[in-house]
Each structure stands twice: as C-alpha cells, then as structure tokens.
Amino acid sequence: MPADSRLLAGARLAVTTFSTLPVRAGRIDRTVAGTAMALAPAVGALLGALLAGVLLLVGALAPALVAAGVTVGAAALLTRGLHLDGLADTVDALGSYRRGAAALEIMKKPDVGPFGVVALVVVLLVQAAALAELAGRSWPACLAAVVAATAAGRLGVTVACRRGVPAARPDGLGALVAGTVGPVTLTVGAVAVALLAVPAVPGRPWQGPLAVVAALAVTVPLLAHVVRRLGGITGDVLGATVEVVTTLVYLGVVLSG
C-alpha cells in the first residue's frame, strides 16, 4: 500500500477506534493498525479540544462542578463509553486474582463486578474534580490541560502497542495492534504531547510535561503486570490504559505545592 494511502487508512482507523466522529473506516491490517496507533494522540488532541470547549462554554453558564460533570459525560459520549467499559473489565479481571484464560473469560462477561465499579467511580470522580479546578483557569491553560490529558490517554495506547508487548488473544483488537509501534514513533508522540502540556499550569511550564511523563512512566509497570496476569494486551486493556493515563495527567496538572 502506498504511504499516503496507508496514512489515510490509519487516520480513519484511529478516528473510528477512539471516537464516535462520523468517519468510515477503510482498509484494516496490521500496517494500517500501526499507523492508527501512532496517530492515536492526534485524535486525542482533537477530542480534548472539543471537551475543553464544552467545559469552558458550560462553565460560563453554570458552576464549575456542573461544567465538569457535563464534560465527563461528553467524553464518554464521544467514545461510546468503550474506554470506561475496558477499565471496568480489566480491573475486574485483575481483581479476580486469576490468570490467563480464566482472567480473560471474566473480561468477556457483560456484568460489572465490585472492583470494576469502584474503578469507574474513582476515575470519574477524580476527572470531574480536576476539570472543575481547570474550569477556573484562564482559557489557554484550561485548553492546554484538557488537550494534553486527552492526548496523553491515547498516547498510553501507543505505549501499550510498542514492540515487545504481546497480545493476550490470537484475535480481536489486541492481536491486530500489539507490537505495531516502534521506538521512534513513540518518542515523537511523547515529545509532542509533552509540549502541548507546557501552558497547562500558569507559572509552571514544567508541571504539565512532567505530569505527562509521569503518567506514561506509571503505565509501563502496569502494562507489565497486565501481561504477566493476562498474557498480553486486549482491547479492554487499551481502553483501561486510556482512562488511567488521562486521569493521572489531570491529577498531575491540578496538584499544587
């Protein structure tokens, strides 16, 4: 496939995988999937800009906490709630203390267990609280923080799809994207997202990039644990990674001290 066609197909797959934006997916194979995973942070940045707009608009009309709640809801709507579902399923599987096929079977169940419920509540509460604080900042800082956090969440997927990380199953999204991202692509993505975060904390241009780097650093051992327990990554694991990294970056940009 020509490079321009692969880039277009990868962009379409990235948009359809990480959002509900009305784009039709084209050809799908591992090469295209690798391009899509490399472009995931760009899709996250686009979503972040939309969510920052929601936060600022509603925040001008309603209390900050209300604006934050609406923004969290909009984030779930724009992603069909798939990442939240992946978070709940992954935490339920890990919380069961089972390994391999037994843990993967738990992830397939349609119900949500107590571990999954707690994970969802904690993540949504932290995100809403952080967004409420960001709503009180200048619009450039608010925009930078939300864009960087949302882009970093998708960059977490890029990290999870780096070479050397296997898939837990021979089929599904995990098998399609596992090991498709090289170190150069990952490094470029990390630098780009860190730069987006520079204006996120007024007077502390280092805090936003540090929050991005720290969130990604935490992701590495978490993914290693998932691989040990499940045998590799799955689509649910990728969704969980999005939510964990996004939440950690939000937390990092609102910390004071």
Side-chain angles (χ1 to χ4, degrees):
M1 180 186 293
D4 55 346
S5 298
R6 183 173 64 250
L7 180 61
L8 179 58
R12 287 179 173 178
L13 181 58
V15 171
T16 57
T17 300
F18 296 104
S19 77
T20 57
L21 298 178
V23 175
R24 182 177 299 178
R27 175 178 173 178
I28 300 177
D29 56 29
R30 279 184 58 81
T31 301
V32 171
T35 302
M37 296 306 101
L39 294 174
V43 177
L46 174 60
L47 288 173
L50 294 175
L51 294 174
V54 171
L55 180 63
L56 291 168
L57 178 60
V58 179
L61 303 172
L65 188 57
V66 173
V70 172
T71 305
V72 168
L77 181 64
L78 288 171
T79 58
R80 299 186 296 276
L82 290 178
H83 303 142
L84 292 170
D85 179 68
L87 173 67
D89 287 344
T90 300
V91 173
D92 275 339
L94 295 176
S96 71
Y97 294 101
R98 297 182 182 179
R99 293 179 176 272
L104 292 173
E105 190 62 31
I106 291 175
M107 298 175 77
K108 290 183 178 180
K109 294 182 178 180
D111 58 326
V112 179
F115 285 108
V117 171
V118 171
L120 290 174
V121 170
V122 170
V123 161
L124 292 175
L125 279 176
V126 172
Q127 289 185 6
L131 286 166
E133 198 280 336
L134 292 174
R137 295 184 180 179
S138 64
W139 75 262
C142 179
L143 175 64
V146 178
V147 168
T150 311
R154 280 68 187 172
L155 181 60
V157 173
T158 309
V159 173
C161 295
R162 70 188 186 278
R163 292 171 188 165
V165 179
R169 300 188 182 99
D171 54 6
L173 179 61
L176 180 66
V177 301
T180 59
V181 177
V184 174
T185 298
L186 185 56
T187 301
V188 171
V191 170
V193 175
L195 289 175
L196 287 175
V198 169
V201 185
R204 295 182 177 184
W206 50 267
Q207 187 169 338
L210 180 60
V212 171
V213 173
L216 294 175
V218 170
T219 303
V220 174
L222 286 177
L223 286 170
H225 178 64
V226 167
V227 171
R228 284 195 300 270
R229 291 287 304 280
L230 305 181
I233 62 171
T234 68
D236 282 332
V237 171
L238 298 182
T241 302
V242 169
E243 295 298 339
V244 168
V245 175
T246 300
T247 303
L248 289 175
V249 175
Y250 276 139
L251 183 60
V253 296
V254 298
L255 290 176
S256 60

PDB file of all heavy atoms in Angstrom, residues 33-70:
ATOM      1  N   ALA A  33      -3.020  -0.620  11.163  1.00  0.00           N
ATOM      2  CA  ALA A  33      -3.247  -0.536  12.599  1.00  0.00           C
ATOM      3  C   ALA A  33      -2.086   0.162  13.301  1.00  0.00           C
ATOM      4  O   ALA A  33      -2.293   0.962  14.222  1.00  0.00           O
ATOM      5  CB  ALA A  33      -3.451  -1.931  13.176  1.00  0.00           C
ATOM      6  N   GLY A  34      -0.864  -0.125  12.873  1.00  0.00           N
ATOM      7  CA  GLY A  34       0.289   0.542  13.456  1.00  0.00           C
ATOM      8  C   GLY A  34       0.250   2.045  13.225  1.00  0.00           C
ATOM      9  O   GLY A  34       0.569   2.837  14.121  1.00  0.00           O
ATOM     10  N   THR A  35      -0.153   2.441  12.025  1.00  0.00           N
ATOM     11  CA  THR A  35      -0.296   3.870  11.729  1.00  0.00           C
ATOM     12  C   THR A  35      -1.373   4.492  12.602  1.00  0.00           C
ATOM     13  O   THR A  35      -1.213   5.602  13.124  1.00  0.00           O
ATOM     14  CB  THR A  35      -0.645   4.070  10.244  1.00  0.00           C
ATOM     15  OG1 THR A  35       0.375   3.481   9.430  1.00  0.00           O
ATOM     16  CG2 THR A  35      -0.768   5.541   9.905  1.00  0.00           C
ATOM     17  N   ALA A  36      -2.479   3.767  12.788  1.00  0.00           N
ATOM     18  CA  ALA A  36      -3.578   4.274  13.617  1.00  0.00           C
ATOM     19  C   ALA A  36      -3.131   4.474  15.059  1.00  0.00           C
ATOM     20  O   ALA A  36      -3.465   5.484  15.696  1.00  0.00           O
ATOM     21  CB  ALA A  36      -4.757   3.312  13.555  1.00  0.00           C
ATOM     22  N   MET A  37      -2.372   3.514  15.593  1.00  0.00           N
ATOM     23  CA  MET A  37      -1.909   3.644  16.967  1.00  0.00           C
ATOM     24  C   MET A  37      -0.907   4.788  17.112  1.00  0.00           C
ATOM     25  O   MET A  37      -0.844   5.439  18.157  1.00  0.00           O
ATOM     26  CB  MET A  37      -1.289   2.331  17.439  1.00  0.00           C
ATOM     27  CG  MET A  37      -2.262   1.166  17.495  1.00  0.00           C
ATOM     28  SD  MET A  37      -3.770   1.461  18.478  1.00  0.00           S
ATOM     29  CE  MET A  37      -4.987   1.807  17.175  1.00  0.00           C
ATOM     30  N   ALA A  38      -0.130   5.040  16.071  1.00  0.00           N
ATOM     31  CA  ALA A  38       0.794   6.171  16.097  1.00  0.00           C
ATOM     32  C   ALA A  38       0.042   7.499  16.073  1.00  0.00           C
ATOM     33  O   ALA A  38       0.488   8.494  16.665  1.00  0.00           O
ATOM     34  CB  ALA A  38       1.748   6.089  14.909  1.00  0.00           C
ATOM     35  N   LEU A  39      -1.105   7.524  15.397  1.00  0.00           N
ATOM     36  CA  LEU A  39      -1.904   8.744  15.284  1.00  0.00           C
ATOM     37  C   LEU A  39      -2.896   8.917  16.418  1.00  0.00           C
ATOM     38  O   LEU A  39      -3.597   9.933  16.479  1.00  0.00           O
ATOM     39  CB  LEU A  39      -2.667   8.738  13.948  1.00  0.00           C
ATOM     40  CG  LEU A  39      -1.813   8.814  12.679  1.00  0.00           C
ATOM     41  CD1 LEU A  39      -2.690   8.655  11.452  1.00  0.00           C
ATOM     42  CD2 LEU A  39      -1.054  10.140  12.625  1.00  0.00           C
ATOM     43  N   ALA A  40      -2.962   7.945  17.314  1.00  0.00           N
ATOM     44  CA  ALA A  40      -3.930   7.998  18.415  1.00  0.00           C
ATOM     45  C   ALA A  40      -3.837   9.291  19.228  1.00  0.00           C
ATOM     46  O   ALA A  40      -4.884   9.887  19.553  1.00  0.00           O
ATOM     47  CB  ALA A  40      -3.751   6.780  19.320  1.00  0.00           C
ATOM     48  N   PRO A  41      -2.629   9.780  19.576  1.00  0.00           N
ATOM     49  CA  PRO A  41      -2.570  11.025  20.343  1.00  0.00           C
ATOM     50  C   PRO A  41      -3.167  12.220  19.598  1.00  0.00           C
ATOM     51  O   PRO A  41      -3.729  13.130  20.226  1.00  0.00           O
ATOM     52  CB  PRO A  41      -1.066  11.225  20.579  1.00  0.00           C
ATOM     53  CG  PRO A  41      -0.480   9.855  20.476  1.00  0.00           C
ATOM     54  CD  PRO A  41      -1.295   9.170  19.420  1.00  0.00           C
ATOM     55  N   ALA A  42      -3.043  12.237  18.266  1.00  0.00           N
ATOM     56  CA  ALA A  42      -3.625  13.332  17.491  1.00  0.00           C
ATOM     57  C   ALA A  42      -5.145  13.323  17.603  1.00  0.00           C
ATOM     58  O   ALA A  42      -5.782  14.379  17.732  1.00  0.00           O
ATOM     59  CB  ALA A  42      -3.191  13.226  16.029  1.00  0.00           C
ATOM     60  N   VAL A  43      -5.741  12.138  17.548  1.00  0.00           N
ATOM     61  CA  VAL A  43      -7.191  12.030  17.740  1.00  0.00           C
ATOM     62  C   VAL A  43      -7.557  12.484  19.148  1.00  0.00           C
ATOM     63  O   VAL A  43      -8.550  13.184  19.358  1.00  0.00           O
ATOM     64  CB  VAL A  43      -7.671  10.590  17.490  1.00  0.00           C
ATOM     65  CG1 VAL A  43      -9.168  10.460  17.769  1.00  0.00           C
ATOM     66  CG2 VAL A  43      -7.357  10.163  16.067  1.00  0.00           C
ATOM     67  N   GLY A  44      -6.723  12.096  20.125  1.00  0.00           N
ATOM     68  CA  GLY A  44      -6.962  12.534  21.490  1.00  0.00           C
ATOM     69  C   GLY A  44      -6.904  14.046  21.632  1.00  0.00           C
ATOM     70  O   GLY A  44      -7.711  14.646  22.354  1.00  0.00           O
ATOM     71  N   ALA A  45      -5.973  14.672  20.938  1.00  0.00           N
ATOM     72  CA  ALA A  45      -5.877  16.134  20.988  1.00  0.00           C
ATOM     73  C   ALA A  45      -7.125  16.786  20.410  1.00  0.00           C
ATOM     74  O   ALA A  45      -7.629  17.786  20.943  1.00  0.00           O
ATOM     75  CB  ALA A  45      -4.632  16.597  20.232  1.00  0.00           C
ATOM     76  N   LEU A  46      -7.649  16.219  19.327  1.00  0.00           N
ATOM     77  CA  LEU A  46      -8.882  16.743  18.728  1.00  0.00           C
ATOM     78  C   LEU A  46     -10.047  16.607  19.705  1.00  0.00           C
ATOM     79  O   LEU A  46     -10.820  17.556  19.908  1.00  0.00           O
ATOM     80  CB  LEU A  46      -9.181  15.994  17.432  1.00  0.00           C
ATOM     81  CG  LEU A  46     -10.515  16.325  16.749  1.00  0.00           C
ATOM     82  CD1 LEU A  46     -10.583  17.804  16.385  1.00  0.00           C
ATOM     83  CD2 LEU A  46     -10.699  15.464  15.495  1.00  0.00           C
ATOM     84  N   LEU A  47     -10.165  15.432  20.309  1.00  0.00           N
ATOM     85  CA  LEU A  47     -11.225  15.229  21.303  1.00  0.00           C
ATOM     86  C   LEU A  47     -11.049  16.186  22.482  1.00  0.00           C
ATOM     87  O   LEU A  47     -12.025  16.737  23.003  1.00  0.00           O
ATOM     88  CB  LEU A  47     -11.208  13.785  21.799  1.00  0.00           C
ATOM     89  CG  LEU A  47     -11.699  12.716  20.830  1.00  0.00           C
ATOM     90  CD1 LEU A  47     -11.461  11.331  21.421  1.00  0.00           C
ATOM     91  CD2 LEU A  47     -13.173  12.908  20.511  1.00  0.00           C
ATOM     92  N   GLY A  48      -9.800  16.367  22.900  1.00  0.00           N
ATOM     93  CA  GLY A  48      -9.535  17.269  24.012  1.00  0.00           C
ATOM     94  C   GLY A  48      -9.959  18.693  23.714  1.00  0.00           C
ATOM     95  O   GLY A  48     -10.491  19.386  24.596  1.00  0.00           O
ATOM     96  N   ALA A  49      -9.742  19.144  22.486  1.00  0.00           N
ATOM     97  CA  ALA A  49     -10.163  20.494  22.115  1.00  0.00           C
ATOM     98  C   ALA A  49     -11.689  20.620  22.193  1.00  0.00           C
ATOM     99  O   ALA A  49     -12.219  21.639  22.670  1.00  0.00           O
ATOM    100  CB  ALA A  49      -9.675  20.814  20.705  1.00  0.00           C
ATOM    101  N   LEU A  50     -12.388  19.584  21.740  1.00  0.00           N
ATOM    102  CA  LEU A  50     -13.856  19.594  21.823  1.00  0.00           C
ATOM    103  C   LEU A  50     -14.320  19.619  23.277  1.00  0.00           C
ATOM    104  O   LEU A  50     -15.232  20.375  23.647  1.00  0.00           O
ATOM    105  CB  LEU A  50     -14.431  18.372  21.114  1.00  0.00           C
ATOM    106  CG  LEU A  50     -14.235  18.301  19.596  1.00  0.00           C
ATOM    107  CD1 LEU A  50     -14.751  16.965  19.057  1.00  0.00           C
ATOM    108  CD2 LEU A  50     -14.965  19.453  18.914  1.00  0.00           C
ATOM    109  N   LEU A  51     -13.682  18.805  24.113  1.00  0.00           N
ATOM    110  CA  LEU A  51     -14.077  18.735  25.523  1.00  0.00           C
ATOM    111  C   LEU A  51     -13.740  20.021  26.265  1.00  0.00           C
ATOM    112  O   LEU A  51     -14.504  20.468  27.132  1.00  0.00           O
ATOM    113  CB  LEU A  51     -13.385  17.548  26.192  1.00  0.00           C
ATOM    114  CG  LEU A  51     -13.821  16.173  25.680  1.00  0.00           C
ATOM    115  CD1 LEU A  51     -12.966  15.074  26.305  1.00  0.00           C
ATOM    116  CD2 LEU A  51     -15.301  15.933  25.974  1.00  0.00           C
ATOM    117  N   ALA A  52     -12.605  20.627  25.943  1.00  0.00           N
ATOM    118  CA  ALA A  52     -12.261  21.908  26.558  1.00  0.00           C
ATOM    119  C   ALA A  52     -13.292  22.965  26.187  1.00  0.00           C
ATOM    120  O   ALA A  52     -13.668  23.800  27.026  1.00  0.00           O
ATOM    121  CB  ALA A  52     -10.862  22.342  26.122  1.00  0.00           C
ATOM    122  N   GLY A  53     -13.772  22.924  24.948  1.00  0.00           N
ATOM    123  CA  GLY A  53     -14.813  23.857  24.527  1.00  0.00           C
ATOM    124  C   GLY A  53     -16.087  23.661  25.330  1.00  0.00           C
ATOM    125  O   GLY A  53     -16.737  24.636  25.743  1.00  0.00           O
ATOM    126  N   VAL A  54     -16.451  22.404  25.557  1.00  0.00           N
ATOM    127  CA  VAL A  54     -17.638  22.112  26.373  1.00  0.00           C
ATOM    128  C   VAL A  54     -17.445  22.644  27.795  1.00  0.00           C
ATOM    129  O   VAL A  54     -18.343  23.292  28.367  1.00  0.00           O
ATOM    130  CB  VAL A  54     -17.906  20.593  26.413  1.00  0.00           C
ATOM    131  CG1 VAL A  54     -18.993  20.256  27.428  1.00  0.00           C
ATOM    132  CG2 VAL A  54     -18.299  20.086  25.042  1.00  0.00           C
ATOM    133  N   LEU A  55     -16.279  22.371  28.377  1.00  0.00           N
ATOM    134  CA  LEU A  55     -16.005  22.804  29.749  1.00  0.00           C
ATOM    135  C   LEU A  55     -16.067  24.324  29.882  1.00  0.00           C
ATOM    136  O   LEU A  55     -16.685  24.856  30.818  1.00  0.00           O
ATOM    137  CB  LEU A  55     -14.626  22.288  30.174  1.00  0.00           C
ATOM    138  CG  LEU A  55     -14.172  22.645  31.588  1.00  0.00           C
ATOM    139  CD1 LEU A  55     -15.099  22.026  32.631  1.00  0.00           C
ATOM    140  CD2 LEU A  55     -12.736  22.188  31.826  1.00  0.00           C
ATOM    141  N   LEU A  56     -15.458  25.022  28.947  1.00  0.00           N
ATOM    142  CA  LEU A  56     -15.431  26.485  29.014  1.00  0.00           C
ATOM    143  C   LEU A  56     -16.803  27.084  28.747  1.00  0.00           C
ATOM    144  O   LEU A  56     -17.217  28.046  29.416  1.00  0.00           O
ATOM    145  CB  LEU A  56     -14.411  27.028  28.012  1.00  0.00           C
ATOM    146  CG  LEU A  56     -12.940  26.733  28.353  1.00  0.00           C
ATOM    147  CD1 LEU A  56     -12.043  27.050  27.168  1.00  0.00           C
ATOM    148  CD2 LEU A  56     -12.512  27.530  29.581  1.00  0.00           C
ATOM    149  N   LEU A  57     -17.528  26.515  27.789  1.00  0.00           N
ATOM    150  CA  LEU A  57     -18.857  27.050  27.456  1.00  0.00           C
ATOM    151  C   LEU A  57     -19.837  26.837  28.603  1.00  0.00           C
ATOM    152  O   LEU A  57     -20.518  27.772  29.036  1.00  0.00           O
ATOM    153  CB  LEU A  57     -19.377  26.381  26.184  1.00  0.00           C
ATOM    154  CG  LEU A  57     -20.786  26.802  25.722  1.00  0.00           C
ATOM    155  CD1 LEU A  57     -20.815  28.299  25.439  1.00  0.00           C
ATOM    156  CD2 LEU A  57     -21.209  26.021  24.493  1.00  0.00           C
ATOM    157  N   VAL A  58     -19.911  25.606  29.090  1.00  0.00           N
ATOM    158  CA  VAL A  58     -20.842  25.331  30.189  1.00  0.00           C
ATOM    159  C   VAL A  58     -20.388  26.045  31.462  1.00  0.00           C
ATOM    160  O   VAL A  58     -21.215  26.527  32.243  1.00  0.00           O
ATOM    161  CB  VAL A  58     -20.960  23.813  30.423  1.00  0.00           C
ATOM    162  CG1 VAL A  58     -21.916  23.519  31.576  1.00  0.00           C
ATOM    163  CG2 VAL A  58     -21.446  23.108  29.168  1.00  0.00           C
ATOM    164  N   GLY A  59     -19.067  26.143  31.650  1.00  0.00           N
ATOM    165  CA  GLY A  59     -18.545  26.827  32.817  1.00  0.00           C
ATOM    166  C   GLY A  59     -18.891  28.304  32.849  1.00  0.00           C
ATOM    167  O   GLY A  59     -18.927  28.916  33.921  1.00  0.00           O
ATOM    168  N   ALA A  60     -19.146  28.896  31.677  1.00  0.00           N
ATOM    169  CA  ALA A  60     -19.546  30.301  31.625  1.00  0.00           C
ATOM    170  C   ALA A  60     -21.012  30.493  32.002  1.00  0.00           C
ATOM    171  O   ALA A  60     -21.440  31.620  32.287  1.00  0.00           O
ATOM    172  CB  ALA A  60     -19.298  30.850  30.220  1.00  0.00           C
ATOM    173  N   LEU A  61     -21.759  29.388  32.032  1.00  0.00           N
ATOM    174  CA  LEU A  61     -23.203  29.467  32.288  1.00  0.00           C
ATOM    175  C   LEU A  61     -23.620  28.794  33.588  1.00  0.00           C
ATOM    176  O   LEU A  61     -24.730  29.027  34.079  1.00  0.00           O
ATOM    177  CB  LEU A  61     -23.966  28.817  31.127  1.00  0.00           C
ATOM    178  CG  LEU A  61     -23.688  29.379  29.731  1.00  0.00           C
ATOM    179  CD1 LEU A  61     -24.373  28.510  28.674  1.00  0.00           C
ATOM    180  CD2 LEU A  61     -24.167  30.824  29.630  1.00  0.00           C
ATOM    181  N   ALA A  62     -22.772  27.930  34.125  1.00  0.00           N
ATOM    182  CA  ALA A  62     -23.134  27.126  35.287  1.00  0.00           C
ATOM    183  C   ALA A  62     -21.927  26.978  36.204  1.00  0.00           C
ATOM    184  O   ALA A  62     -20.792  27.293  35.804  1.00  0.00           O
ATOM    185  CB  ALA A  62     -23.625  25.751  34.836  1.00  0.00           C
ATOM    186  N   PRO A  63     -22.131  26.508  37.448  1.00  0.00           N
ATOM    187  CA  PRO A  63     -20.996  26.288  38.361  1.00  0.00           C
ATOM    188  C   PRO A  63     -19.967  25.336  37.763  1.00  0.00           C
ATOM    189  O   PRO A  63     -20.292  24.481  36.933  1.00  0.00           O
ATOM    190  CB  PRO A  63     -21.667  25.676  39.600  1.00  0.00           C
ATOM    191  CG  PRO A  63     -23.066  26.190  39.565  1.00  0.00           C
ATOM    192  CD  PRO A  63     -23.428  26.249  38.102  1.00  0.00           C
ATOM    193  N   ALA A  64     -18.742  25.476  38.233  1.00  0.00           N
ATOM    194  CA  ALA A  64     -17.632  24.706  37.672  1.00  0.00           C
ATOM    195  C   ALA A  64     -17.857  23.205  37.797  1.00  0.00           C
ATOM    196  O   ALA A  64     -17.530  22.441  36.880  1.00  0.00           O
ATOM    197  CB  ALA A  64     -16.332  25.096  38.375  1.00  0.00           C
ATOM    198  N   LEU A  65     -18.422  22.743  38.911  1.00  0.00           N
ATOM    199  CA  LEU A  65     -18.633  21.315  39.097  1.00  0.00           C
ATOM    200  C   LEU A  65     -19.666  20.776  38.114  1.00  0.00           C
ATOM    201  O   LEU A  65     -19.536  19.652  37.622  1.00  0.00           O
ATOM    202  CB  LEU A  65     -19.064  21.018  40.533  1.00  0.00           C
ATOM    203  CG  LEU A  65     -19.138  19.542  40.918  1.00  0.00           C
ATOM    204  CD1 LEU A  65     -17.784  18.857  40.684  1.00  0.00           C
ATOM    205  CD2 LEU A  65     -19.563  19.388  42.377  1.00  0.00           C
ATOM    206  N   VAL A  66     -20.674  21.582  37.824  1.00  0.00           N
ATOM    207  CA  VAL A  66     -21.666  21.174  36.819  1.00  0.00           C
ATOM    208  C   VAL A  66     -21.002  21.072  35.450  1.00  0.00           C
ATOM    209  O   VAL A  66     -21.219  20.103  34.705  1.00  0.00           O
ATOM    210  CB  VAL A  66     -22.838  22.173  36.770  1.00  0.00           C
ATOM    211  CG1 VAL A  66     -23.785  21.843  35.605  1.00  0.00           C
ATOM    212  CG2 VAL A  66     -23.606  22.167  38.086  1.00  0.00           C
ATOM    213  N   ALA A  67     -20.187  22.062  35.107  1.00  0.00           N
ATOM    214  CA  ALA A  67     -19.477  22.034  33.831  1.00  0.00           C
ATOM    215  C   ALA A  67     -18.569  20.821  33.740  1.00  0.00           C
ATOM    216  O   ALA A  67     -18.469  20.172  32.686  1.00  0.00           O
ATOM    217  CB  ALA A  67     -18.668  23.317  33.663  1.00  0.00           C
ATOM    218  N   ALA A  68     -17.913  20.482  34.849  1.00  0.00           N
ATOM    219  CA  ALA A  68     -17.026  19.321  34.857  1.00  0.00           C
ATOM    220  C   ALA A  68     -17.815  18.036  34.645  1.00  0.00           C
ATOM    221  O   ALA A  68     -17.388  17.155  33.888  1.00  0.00           O
ATOM    222  CB  ALA A  68     -16.270  19.257  36.178  1.00  0.00           C
ATOM    223  N   GLY A  69     -18.971  17.913  35.293  1.00  0.00           N
ATOM    224  CA  GLY A  69     -19.793  16.722  35.121  1.00  0.00           C
ATOM    225  C   GLY A  69     -20.279  16.566  33.701  1.00  0.00           C
ATOM    226  O   GLY A  69     -20.278  15.460  33.143  1.00  0.00           O
ATOM    227  N   VAL A  70     -20.690  17.669  33.094  1.00  0.00           N
ATOM    228  CA  VAL A  70     -21.137  17.628  31.693  1.00  0.00           C
ATOM    229  C   VAL A  70     -19.984  17.224  30.781  1.00  0.00           C
ATOM    230  O   VAL A  70     -20.160  16.452  29.832  1.00  0.00           O
ATOM    231  CB  VAL A  70     -21.712  18.996  31.279  1.00  0.00           C
ATOM    232  CG1 VAL A  70     -21.987  19.032  29.770  1.00  0.00           C
ATOM    233  CG2 VAL A  70     -22.995  19.297  32.037  1.00  0.00           C
TER     234      VAL A  70
END
